[in-house]
Amino acid sequence: MLSNTEKELIVQIWDKMIPVAEDIGSEALLRMFTTFPKTKTYFSHLDISPRSDHLRCHGKKIVQALAEGARNISTLTTTLAPLSRFHAYQLRIHPTNFKLLNHCILVTLACYMGENFTPVAHAAIDKYLSAFSAVLAEKFR
């Protein structure tokens, strides 16, 4: 699915996002909540207002998980198994929501990276996010 060049590019991009993980992750989540309001139902117990500690903390976790997955892309299923179980069995997040978040992450990265978010980077990140989401959704059945 991903070439070696794409895998290297994906790792580079997510490694660059780690220092701004709270910003990137919380902005992507806020975009999702604004664009797809029904996704808020999974977060009703948290303060998800802009710049809230809960939103920033969860956003950071998402970016860190994406970066970790990128570094371990050849073992993505194993790496993400605990997250897959957690999101399926405990949180009961419907897999459609991962696709919605993927879109919002792509938009956020495009805004943040500007001209560095080339068509090649866009395609690689889109493929990676699809694979990431597919693994997260594996246990939801």
Side-chain angles (χ1 to χ4, degrees):
M1 180 167 119
L2 292 165
S3 70
N4 287 335
T5 303
E6 288 173 320
K7 290 176 186 178
E8 291 171 12
L9 179 60
I10 291 164
V11 170
Q12 290 171 5
I13 289 170
W14 288 113
D15 281 350
K16 288 179 185 174
M17 296 302 116
I18 290 295
V20 289
E22 286 183 351
D23 296 329
I24 299 296
S26 63
E27 183 176 331
L29 283 168
L30 190 59
R31 282 179 186 280
M32 182 179 70
F33 298 146
T34 302
T35 310
F36 309 105
K38 73 177 192 171
T39 59
K40 292 180 192 179
T41 59
Y42 294 105
F43 297 87
S44 60
H45 60 291
L46 299 177
D47 173 10
I48 55 171
S49 60
R51 310 283 307 155
S52 74
D53 288 341
H54 288 137
L55 190 68
R56 293 182 60 76
C57 180
H58 194 68
K60 182 178 181 177
K61 287 179 186 178
I62 290 169
V63 172
Q64 288 173 331
L66 288 164
E68 167 116 8
R71 286 188 296 272
N72 298 293
I73 201 160
S74 61
T75 59
L76 198 57
T77 301
T78 306
T79 301
L80 295 180
L83 278 178
S84 180
R85 284 190 298 274
F86 182 66
H87 283 80
Y89 300 138
Q90 289 181 287
L91 299 178
R92 309 215 26 91
I93 306 287
H94 192 277
T96 302
N97 293 292
F98 300 131
K99 293 177 184 178
L100 300 177
L101 181 58
N102 285 354
H103 175 72
C104 295
I105 290 170
L106 280 171
V107 172
T108 302
L109 287 176
C111 292
Y112 188 80
M113 293 175 63
E115 63 186 39
N116 292 323
F117 197 67
T118 64
V120 171
H122 181 165
I125 291 293
D126 190 34
K127 285 192 234 178
Y128 171 64
L129 290 173
S130 293
F132 193 96
S133 293
V135 172
L136 279 183
E138 277 180 358
K139 302 291 183 202
F140 189 90
R141 293 195 176 28

